[in-house]
């Protein structure tokens, strides 16, 4: 996931992540992130991902690190995630009632 700099810091990424978690339905998740993108790594860590120690050079030159998040039930999601999911659910409810 990537947001333009002017869209960052407004809760959009958290809302998108909440939507993705709903779609994933608690399944384990894995992703690659550019190694020197500390802001992205911290974002994913806030959402329960952990560095696995795996590394790769994408196209032979861009260093990436692997992050993973184990299977979770909706009852143990963090407040950041439940707030994002609530926003998504509220938005869907509003959209359906129009």
């Amino acid at each position: 996931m990537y947001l333009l700099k002017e869209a960052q810091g407004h809760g959009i990424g958290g809302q998108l992540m909440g939507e993705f978690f709903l779609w994933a339905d608690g399944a384990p998740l894995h992703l690659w992130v550019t190694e020197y993108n500390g802001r992205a790594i911290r974002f994913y860590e806030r959402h329960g991902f952990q560095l696995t120690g795996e590394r790769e050079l994408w196209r032979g030159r861009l260093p990436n690190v692997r992050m993973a998040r184990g299977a979770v039930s909706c009852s143990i999601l963090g407040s950041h995630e439940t707030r994002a999911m609530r926003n998504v659910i509220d938005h869907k409810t509003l959209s359906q009632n129009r």
Side-chain angles (χ1 to χ4, degrees):
M1 173 175 28
Y2 178 80
L3 294 176
L4 296 175
K5 190 167 185 91
E6 57 268 16
Q8 295 174 7
H10 301 286
I12 298 167
Q15 289 179 358
L16 288 171
M17 188 60 71
E19 182 72 22
F20 183 68
F21 288 151
L22 286 172
W23 175 84
D25 197 27
L29 303 170
H30 307 272
L31 59 87
W32 292 98
V33 62
T34 303
E35 184 173 24
Y36 54 79
N37 190 343
R39 185 174 182 153
I41 292 171
R42 288 187 302 277
F43 171 83
Y44 290 118
E45 286 174 337
R46 280 195 309 274
H47 291 281
F49 288 85
Q50 296 177 345
L51 292 166
T52 67
E54 296 174 77
R55 302 173 105 97
E56 76 163 9
L57 279 178
W58 186 70
R59 295 194 174 183
R61 60 179 181 241
L62 185 64
N64 286 309
V65 292
R66 184 98 160 153
M67 298 187 79
R69 174 187 164 108
V72 294
S73 74
C74 288
S75 63
I76 62 168
L77 293 175
S79 62
H80 225 77
E81 294 149 340
T82 53
R83 192 173 333 121
M85 286 184 178
R86 228 181 354 260
N87 289 340
V88 168
I89 292 167
D90 290 346
H91 177 71
K92 285 182 179 178
T93 302
L94 288 173
S95 296
Q96 290 171 353
N97 291 333
R98 288 185 183 174

